[in-house]
Amino acid sequence: GILQHPDGTVLKQLQPPPRGPREQEFYNKVYDSGCCDSILLELREYLPKYFGVWSPPAAPNDTYLKLEDVTRKFKKPCIMDVKIGQKSYDPYASAEKIQQQVSKYPLMEEIGFLVLGMRVYHVCTDSYETQNQHYGRSLTKETVKDGVSKFFHNGYCLRKDAVAASIQKIEKILEWFEGQEQLNFYASSLLFVYEGSCQATTVRLGEVTLAEKRVVPRGLLGGDILEYNNNIHVINSTENGKIEASVSKGLSKFYALHKKAYSKRHHHHGQLSLKVENLEQGNVWKSSTCITQEHLNGNVLPQLEKVFCHVPAEIKESANVEVRMIDFAHVFPSDTRDEGYIYGLKNLITVLQNILDN
């Protein structure tokens, strides 16, 4: 497997020949200090950084690739590995190998990608949910959208910000593929990482970054405040007409934007005035009018849901998302575009776009 090194790199053991040496050769070629091929120089942006090979002193014949740990900067990294392309066997594969690869996932040709695994941080339980290779292979054309969307769901809501940021990153990689005819990639993957922890989600408004405070806006249901928060644990109406927002442990941020300020966002150089009010933990916000369960079910909940999980695009930094190409044991020189990989990227973008739109 992959070993994490304290210095911020990971060690990936070289596979047996010819795969291991081929992957090493690929990294050496792309990261050659004398490289002046603009296509390879751009490719570096989409790969983990490469720091050569390493062998443990006790076993000098064991070779490891020393690579950047793409997950290192995240507090609660959510990680997904997606194999890309219509064929996961290379042009030199034997009939047996082809048969073996095709039977593993017969839909590869049609879908163009395969989810190899994922781990997703669930905020409410402060734990990870993982899916192994069997999960991705169980997905069909009909279920692949829901299968991929599971990666972006944190137990409270769909992280549309992370979906949108992922699409943008894949589009850059697609542009690279559409402009190069020197390499073809088989059984290679994209590694997706986004920040699962709510504490790490800071929303910047102009120069203002909200402090980590437990805050609840007054007049939440009065309609004059827009909220961003995917940390609400439970919203219920108690018998005496109070609203209680019980916030799961470790979740600490509510962001409030005054709607009036919001509607004037084009003035003051785009800065937003903030109205943030503290509430002691355990206190409840008292409504001026008694809010009954019917009110909640009928009208308020859908509105709450709308504002709690979506930040207007113009006030949000692009989500902290990494998308990197990994696994290069089957990369070959070529004189044509890599149509299988391009097909897979385009279909993955389509699926992610569908997740956003629906």
Side-chain angles (χ1 to χ4, degrees):
I2 300 274
L3 302 174
Q4 275 183 309
H5 193 290
D7 69 2
T9 61
V10 291
L11 298 170
K12 178 185 181 180
Q13 188 159 22
L14 222 56
Q15 294 167 274
R19 292 174 301 164
R22 207 187 286 130
E23 181 160 38
Q24 184 183 345
E25 196 188 329
F26 169 80
Y27 275 113
N28 284 338
K29 181 176 168 168
V30 175
Y31 283 94
D32 179 24
S33 58
C35 174
C36 53
D37 178 336
S38 62
I39 284 173
L40 297 185
L41 292 174
E42 189 194 334
L43 179 58
R44 292 178 186 178
E45 294 174 37
Y46 311 123
L47 269 46
K49 289 190 188 70
Y50 172 63
F51 303 100
V53 291
W54 178 87
S55 296
N61 293 331
D62 286 358
T63 307
Y64 292 82
L65 299 170
K66 205 164 155 44
L67 300 165
E68 171 191 6
D69 178 0
V70 180
T71 70
R72 185 177 168 88
K73 66 178 182 181
F74 296 90
K75 289 185 185 164
K76 299 287 183 185
C78 298
I79 305 166
M80 177 170 64
D81 182 337
V82 183
K83 190 191 278 193
I84 307 289
Q86 290 177 286
K87 296 181 170 72
S88 49
Y89 53 89
D90 68 47
Y92 304 94
S94 65
E96 292 84 358
K97 179 69 177 172
I98 293 174
Q99 180 50 48
Q100 179 222 357
Q101 285 298 321
V102 171
S103 64
K104 269 190 180 175
Y105 193 57
L107 294 171
M108 198 74 186
E109 190 85 31
E110 188 184 4
I111 294 177
F113 65 85
L114 166 63
V115 176
L116 292 179
M118 64 172 76
R119 62 191 289 249
V120 186
Y121 179 69
H122 278 198
V123 257
C124 35
T125 53
D126 186 27
S127 63
Y128 282 96
E129 184 187 342
T130 61
Q131 302 293 345
N132 65 16
Q133 53 181 338
H134 302 293
Y135 173 78
R137 288 193 216 147
S138 72
L139 300 177
T140 64
K141 220 178 162 190
E142 290 67 46
T143 62
V144 70
K145 178 185 152 217
D146 292 337
V148 172
S149 73
K150 196 179 189 67
F151 174 61
F152 295 99
H153 209 290
N154 65 9
Y156 282 122
C157 70
L158 182 67
R159 285 287 304 277
K160 289 196 165 193
D161 57 329
V163 182
S166 297
I167 292 171
Q168 288 180 339
K169 304 251 169 168
I170 302 168
E171 281 173 340
K172 292 286 293 173
I173 295 171
L174 175 59
E175 272 176 45
W176 181 84
F177 269 90
E178 288 182 324
Q180 69 90 18
E181 294 187 346
Q182 53 175 286
L183 293 170
N184 282 6
F185 295 74
Y186 302 90
S188 184
S189 286
L190 288 183
L191 185 72
F192 290 79
V193 191
Y194 73 85
E195 180 57 73
S197 140
C198 291
Q199 269 100 329
T201 315
T202 48
V203 174
R204 295 194 75 151
L205 310 164
E207 292 310 300
V208 187
T209 300
L210 289 177
E212 295 204 2
K213 285 180 186 159
R214 194 180 294 271
V215 293
V216 172
R218 297 236 166 87
L220 177 61
L221 303 179
D224 65 337
I225 280 179
L226 264 178
E227 261 272 355
Y228 167 70
N229 169 53
N230 43 15
N231 309 341
I232 283 288
H233 185 42
V234 143
I235 297 168
N236 60 15
S237 160
T238 51
E239 63 294 337
N240 53 2
K242 290 172 185 170
I243 280 193
E244 195 169 310
S246 117
V247 179
S248 173
K249 86 174 161 52
L251 306 176
S252 62
K253 286 202 199 95
F254 288 51
Y255 304 121
L257 310 178
H258 216 268
K259 210 177 200 170
K260 296 178 189 73
Y262 184 69
S263 62
K264 297 189 196 124
R265 66 173 176 269
H266 299 302
H267 315 314
H268 319 301
H269 314 292
Q271 288 207 358
L272 295 164
S273 69
L274 291 179
K275 180 179 169 195
V276 176
E277 314 209 330
N278 270 320
L279 249 190
E280 294 291 320
Q281 182 177 356
N283 271 9
V284 289
W285 173 79
K286 197 172 258 148
S287 94
S288 46
T289 58
C290 179
I291 292 176
T292 63
Q293 200 60 44
E294 288 136 76
H295 279 116
L296 273 177
N297 292 347
N299 191 22
V300 181
L301 273 185
Q303 283 178 316
L304 279 180
E305 220 168 278
K306 237 180 251 149
V307 295
F308 278 131
C309 290
H310 308 293
V311 191
E314 57 264 45
I315 62 150
K316 190 171 56 191
E317 291 185 321
S318 107
N320 199 1
V321 174
E322 287 289 350
V323 179
R324 303 290 184 94
M325 297 169 61
I326 56 168
D327 295 342
F328 306 111
H330 303 273
V331 179
F332 294 89
S334 163
D335 50 13
T336 60
R337 289 204 323 175
D338 190 341
E339 296 299 349
Y341 199 108
I342 288 172
Y343 175 94
L345 289 180
K346 285 183 171 172
N347 200 34
L348 182 52
I349 290 170
T350 301
V351 168
L352 292 169
Q353 194 60 56
N354 284 339
I355 291 170
L356 265 193
D357 295 344
N358 307 324

